[in-house]
Amino acid sequence: MIAQGSGQALDTGRRGDADVVFVHAKAAELQFVADGESLKRYPVMYNDFVLIGPKEDPAGIQGIADIGKALQKIKDRQAPFVSRGDRSGTHLAELELWKDAGIEIEQQKGGWYKSIGQGMGAALNFAAASGSYVLSDRATWIHFSNKDGLRIVVQGDKRLFNQYGVMLVNPAKHPNVKSVLGQRFIDYLVSPAGQRDIGLYRVDGQQLFHPNATDPGA
């Protein structure tokens, strides 16, 4: 197993350097299939994103239900925000949330917006050290141990939904792909047993992922 952001994982699949890609960037996944890099995308599970911020909450957004309004206040007050900046599923979701808020972040960002080109753990550590806001998937936040000074400030907006999908890399394009073993892994993930195991997985008593392989629109 190689742990990578979704964009990098899909690039690895495009090179034929993986048998299966298990990611959370639906639009990019559908493009991966459209490009013939896989023959089918399987929905597996979901969780959600949460906006994390310093306990002092300099943007004054604690409890705001609308993620777009929260991001607008962060920008207006130029409160520090850290972005993964790594083409991961979380980074792509963050860019889409800025866009939904009417903010073209690449054109409108200032010194308050830091893009670090690193993973989720590094981004959370950066936020903890600098008193910044950051978008995180809930599972990583639950796992994250350096929570001192940070808390969830925005959650529950339907736009924070986070779907995961899995795909077998197309063996017709990449003959080295272990298609039988890869498909066996996928079949387990979407089987009743696999879905049950995903739903029962807990960290500190909290469920990290919700199985939904049977949802045709997921």
Side-chain angles (χ1 to χ4, degrees), residues 64-81:
I64 290 179
D66 187 317
I67 184 64
K69 290 180 180 178
L71 292 175
Q72 184 66 57
K73 287 191 74 172
I74 289 173
K75 175 184 171 293
D76 290 347
R77 299 192 182 185
Q78 298 191 0
F81 185 97

Side-chain angles (χ1 to χ4, degrees), residues 18 26-27 32-33 50 59 76 158 191 209 212-214:
K26 185 175 180 179
F32 191 81
V33 174
V50 288
D76 290 347
K158 65 181 182 181
S191 72
F209 303 101
N212 67 341
T214 59

Side-chain angles (χ1 to χ4, degrees), residues 148-202:
D148 288 348
L150 294 176
R151 61 178 174 173
I152 295 175
V153 290
V154 179
Q155 60 183 326
D157 190 312
K158 65 181 182 181
R159 288 169 290 182
L160 296 173
F161 181 80
N162 182 29
Q163 177 70 42
Y164 290 76
V166 66
M167 297 171 290
L168 179 73
V169 175
N170 189 352
K173 276 197 167 187
H174 304 285
N176 60 300
V177 165
K178 298 179 180 66
S179 57
V180 174
L181 291 174
Q183 189 63 49
R184 187 183 301 173
F185 173 62
I186 292 171
D187 290 345
Y188 160 71
L189 289 175
V190 301
S191 72
Q195 292 283 280
R196 181 188 66 244
D197 290 344
I198 289 168
L200 291 174
Y201 182 61
R202 300 286 193 278

Side-chain angles (χ1 to χ4, degrees), residues 78-213:
Q78 298 191 0
F81 185 97
V82 56
S83 170
R84 285 180 58 165
D86 62 352
R87 293 176 53 245
S88 63
T90 302
H91 179 220
L92 295 175
E94 177 223 316
L95 295 178
E96 191 63 29
L97 289 170
W98 286 112
K99 186 176 179 180
D100 285 348
I103 300 166
E104 292 295 336
I105 193 63
E106 288 302 316
Q107 285 73 47
Q108 297 176 257
K109 66 183 179 183
W112 55 273
Y113 183 91
K114 303 294 185 184
S115 181
I116 63 171
Q118 297 186 54
M120 196 68 254
L124 283 165
N125 278 318
F126 187 99
S130 61
S132 300
Y133 294 94
V134 63
L135 186 73
S136 174
D137 67 283
R138 189 181 292 272
T140 305
W141 171 247
I142 290 171
H143 270 291
F144 185 62
S145 59
N146 184 23
K147 289 186 171 73
D148 288 348
L150 294 176
R151 61 178 174 173
I152 295 175
V153 290
V154 179
Q155 60 183 326
D157 190 312
K158 65 181 182 181
R159 288 169 290 182
L160 296 173
F161 181 80
N162 182 29
Q163 177 70 42
Y164 290 76
V166 66
M167 297 171 290
L168 179 73
V169 175
N170 189 352
K173 276 197 167 187
H174 304 285
N176 60 300
V177 165
K178 298 179 180 66
S179 57
V180 174
L181 291 174
Q183 189 63 49
R184 187 183 301 173
F185 173 62
I186 292 171
D187 290 345
Y188 160 71
L189 289 175
V190 301
S191 72
Q195 292 283 280
R196 181 188 66 244
D197 290 344
I198 289 168
L200 291 174
Y201 182 61
R202 300 286 193 278
V203 170
D204 295 333
Q206 299 183 70
Q207 184 173 351
L208 270 64
F209 303 101
H210 302 269
N212 67 341

